[in-house]
Amino acid sequence: MNHPRCDQTQAWAALKGHFEAHGRDFDVRDAFARDPLRFASMSVEAPEVFADLSKNRLDTATQKFLLDLARECGVEARRDAMFKGEPINLTEGRAVQHAALRAPRGAGLFSDDVHGVLDAMLAYAETIRDTATSGIRHVVNIGIGGSDLGPQMVVPALDAFVHPGITFHFVSNVDGHDITPVLRKLKPAETLFIIASKTFTTQETMANAQAAKAWFLANGGTDTHKHFVGATTNIQAAAAFGISTTFGFWDWVGGRYSLWSAIGLPIALAVGADHFRELLAGAHAMDQHFAKTPAAKNLPLLLGLLDVWYRNFHGFTSRSVAPYHQGLKRLPAYLQQLEMESNGKCVDLAGASLPYATSPVVWGEPGTNGQHAYFQMLHQGTDVIPVEFILVKRPTHALTDLHTKLLANGLAQSQALMLGKTPLQAAAEKAPTASKELDAQTLARHRTFPGNRPSTTLMLEQLTPRSLGALVALYEHRVFTSGAVWGINSFDQWGVELGKALCSDLLPRLASGDVGGLDGSTAGLMQRLRG
Ligand code: F6P
């Protein structure tokens, strides 16, 4: 597939000119004053997700140039190649087929394999969820990165659907402070350990798995075959560990795209087979939207292009995600891996260095907590950081008063970011806590908000397995889009290798004290650690 690099396209040049002429000084407030229908024209409906893009530094001309850019960079052609199963993960010679994991039976690639494992895994999950028979009260998922963050994000998000008789724990860090307090709560006979690792070689996961097995045997556990189960592509290694029940998946499922596969076992155990299938169905609906909806109304495509606009033309270096739903408290962490491991690359598909920026930093906390921590900087700091609000219309609890307050807060923050407050408005207000010593003008300057700070609002009717599936798939395809524009491989992660290799070298040195050949800082730190 031969497409020009994004910065060599006509659209890129047009966007540069457009940015200088209209983008740099674009004011969303003026745009609303000029166009009262802006909200309607800049909102997009996708399966389960409504998106308001109108508070962004964006107009129809910008969108048109961005859509031209997508076309020239071959985003849709790359998308079609992904869905067809072509080996678009060039550096590993692999297809990228997480969408096949959520296609209905008979509809996607590898359907027999996918549904064979899915059926077996869901049937197994139901036997464990029958706690009267299984005796299982605690499930411990041991995995890291993509073998942890997906289930760890989804299980609390779907709390309203989770089996009330089973507690879910997630152990990922090789720091013993992670697993120790978890083990303290467990009894071997009531516990199921899932060893989740695509490769079944990851240091952290293997170390925690060994620690769990040792604890199990030391505390009277006998039947490891019943209490340890594997989710992996490396069934042989799982067997060598002593696991006889394993749910497999395939090399065309990337770790950070794997919650739909056997890696989703904790989710299936938590919410049951029907809800797991709903999660898949929601994601599949978003796949269809991404694959088939014309570009101008294609939400993942539009969001990915907006990311390019902000990163490469406005020069914004990060994006903050603010889910106004406590259940989505791990979504920012999940998105960090999804976006930054996928698009944190500095060479193109041919290995040539890139002269433009790629992945932004993605970060955030649930609202309203973030408001009382870092929102100060979002409103008055020197950096402009686009914010993504996620609002959920209907809660799954009955505390409607709290929910109304939550929604009002979310709306107010995006409104405040956009509207700001002029020095004149600030001067006209009473500020009871302000110092009486300061003159009014100085005070007003401290209390001024620049405004015109961009945000997107994604809205769900309710947080259900189906809507969560759609939301996560939306993010996957959005990351695909910006990665395709940038011409990078969003599906490898060579950047994690160097640290792993150096760690293998340092591990024996920490024991022996051998600092020969090490750089001065590492040698000095090691000596202090050993001292
Ligand atoms: O740290 C890199 C990484 O390979 C991630 O991409 C992956 O999700 C994680 O490690 C865990 O890998 P595995 O599932 O093979 O244990």
Side-chain angles (χ1 to χ4, degrees):
M1 224 181 302
N2 257 340
H3 298 284
R5 212 176 63 184
C6 59
D7 62 333
Q8 289 160 6
T9 59
Q10 288 181 0
W12 190 273
L15 279 162
K16 260 183 143 176
H18 177 69
F19 176 73
E20 292 306 333
H22 308 286
R24 192 188 297 284
D25 298 322
F26 186 89
D27 194 312
V28 183
R29 295 162 292 197
D30 298 341
F32 269 105
R34 280 196 303 274
D35 177 10
L37 300 179
R38 184 175 164 84
F39 173 74
S41 64
M42 293 246 157
S43 43
V44 183
E45 289 272 4
E48 305 291 327
V49 185
F50 171 85
D52 170 24
L53 305 187
S54 67
K55 290 194 182 92
N56 283 292
R57 296 188 186 178
L58 201 61
D59 59 14
T60 43
T62 323
Q63 275 192 330
K64 180 200 161 298
F65 291 132
L66 287 169
L67 292 170
D68 290 346
L69 179 67
R71 217 172 0 263
E72 280 190 74
C73 295
V75 173
E76 288 159 289
R78 286 180 206 268
R79 172 200 66 191
D80 296 345
M82 173 177 73
F83 282 118
K84 270 194 237 147
E86 291 176 21
I88 62 164
N89 176 356
L90 288 181
T91 59
E92 296 179 305
R94 291 176 183 167
V96 173
Q97 274 299 307
H98 45 277
L101 297 169
R102 52 236 190 177
R105 202 180 301 276
L109 296 174
F110 315 110
S111 189
D112 290 347
D113 290 344
V114 166
H115 283 273
V117 175
L118 180 63
D119 291 346
M121 176 177 95
L122 296 183
Y124 170 79
E126 291 306 323
T127 65
I128 299 295
R129 284 167 57 81
D130 177 1
T131 51
T133 310
S134 73
I136 297 299
R137 297 283 168 192
H138 293 269
V139 170
V140 185
N141 190 71
I142 297 181
I144 196 163
S147 300
D148 164 64
L149 288 163
Q152 196 193 139
M153 180 271 288
V154 171
V155 170
L158 298 182
D159 180 60
F161 304 84
V162 169
H163 192 300
I166 306 179
T167 306
F168 289 83
H169 310 269
F170 294 88
V171 170
S172 52
N173 200 335
V174 77
D175 181 353
H177 295 104
D178 198 2
I179 196 167
T180 302
V182 172
L183 293 178
R184 223 180 275 137
K185 295 181 194 122
L186 308 176
K187 293 193 186 110
E190 295 180 347
T191 303
L192 177 69
F193 290 98
I194 302 170
I195 312 303
S197 175
K198 181 175 170 181
T199 55
F200 224 84
T201 57
T202 303
Q203 184 203 56
E204 294 92 326
T205 302
M206 294 304 106
N208 278 315
Q210 292 295 355
K213 195 169 159 187
W215 168 89
F216 181 81
L217 296 173
N219 286 275
T222 47
D223 193 353
T224 49
H225 291 286
K226 185 175 160 213
H227 292 272
F228 285 76
V229 56
T232 184
T233 58
N234 188 351
I235 292 175
Q236 272 183 336
F241 176 86
I243 288 179
S244 50
T245 306
T246 307
F247 299 99
F249 58 111
W250 307 272
D251 70 357
W252 39 262
V253 182
R256 53 194 174 274
Y257 300 88
S258 65
L259 74 84
W260 325 97
S261 71
I263 292 296
L265 177 58
I267 303 171
L269 288 163
V271 302
D274 292 347
H275 289 135
F276 192 83
R277 288 190 191 278
E278 278 286 292
L279 183 82
L280 299 180
H284 178 66
M286 191 60 76
D287 294 339
Q288 296 291 102
H289 172 85
F290 183 51
K292 296 188 179 151
T293 307
K297 286 288 168 197
N298 191 312
L299 185 56
L301 190 90
L302 292 174
L303 289 176
L305 292 173
L306 180 62
D307 295 336
V308 171
W309 175 236
Y310 282 158
R311 188 76 184 100
N312 300 113
F313 296 90
H314 282 275
F316 302 152
T317 55
S318 83
R319 187 174 78 248
S320 186
V321 183
Y324 276 65
H325 192 301
Q326 190 60 23
L328 293 173
K329 63 180 182 229
R330 294 298 289 161
L331 183 68
Y334 174 80
L335 295 179
Q336 281 177 337
Q337 188 198 18
L338 178 63
E339 188 145 352
M340 292 159 75
E341 198 172 79
S342 296
N343 286 349
K345 311 285 164 66
C346 62
V347 296
D348 68 11
L349 286 167
S353 294
L354 296 177
Y356 46 81
T358 58
S359 177
V361 176
V362 179
W363 59 284
E365 277 289 319
T368 60
N369 296 6
Q371 292 174 207
H372 298 271
Y374 55 78
F375 267 59
Q376 163 66 38
M377 180 208 179
L378 298 180
H379 287 292
Q380 287 190 314
T382 49
D383 289 272
V384 174
I385 298 172
V387 184
E388 197 148 279
F389 293 91
I390 302 174
L391 302 183
V392 179
K393 196 166 148 189
R394 288 190 292 124
T396 46
H397 59 71
L399 306 172
T400 48
D401 176 47
L402 266 72
H403 193 65
T404 312
K405 289 189 167 81
L406 177 75
L407 293 182
N409 269 282
L411 283 177
Q413 290 302 320
S414 68
Q415 196 184 25
L417 285 165
M418 176 177 71
L419 295 181
K421 190 193 284 180
T422 63
L424 223 81
Q425 287 172 318
E429 286 174 352
K430 287 203 169 62
T433 58
S435 163
K436 305 279 179 280
E437 311 295 311
L438 268 189
D439 68 278
Q441 275 193 349
T442 306
L443 189 60
R445 281 198 295 275
H446 283 277
R447 304 186 66 252
T448 294
F449 290 61
N452 196 31
R453 302 224 154 170
S455 70
T456 298
T457 300
L458 302 179
M459 195 183 293
L460 311 181
E461 186 69 24
Q462 198 169 18
L463 191 58
T464 61
R466 183 174 278 261
S467 67
L468 183 61
L471 182 71
V472 175
L474 168 66
Y475 277 106
E476 290 177 348
H477 297 320
R478 167 208 203 141
V479 168
F480 176 92
T481 298
S482 50
V485 170
W486 289 324
I488 58 183
N489 183 1
S490 301
F491 301 102
D492 60 14
Q493 55 284 320
W494 301 106
V496 304
E497 298 294 331
L498 178 58
K500 285 185 192 173
L502 293 180
C503 179
S504 305
D505 172 54
L506 291 177
L507 206 50
R509 287 170 179 268
L510 259 174
S512 68
D514 170 17
V515 295
L518 291 180
D519 63 273
S521 165
T522 308
L525 290 169
M526 188 181 274
Q527 276 157 347
R528 282 190 79 93
L529 282 168
R530 283 177 44 84

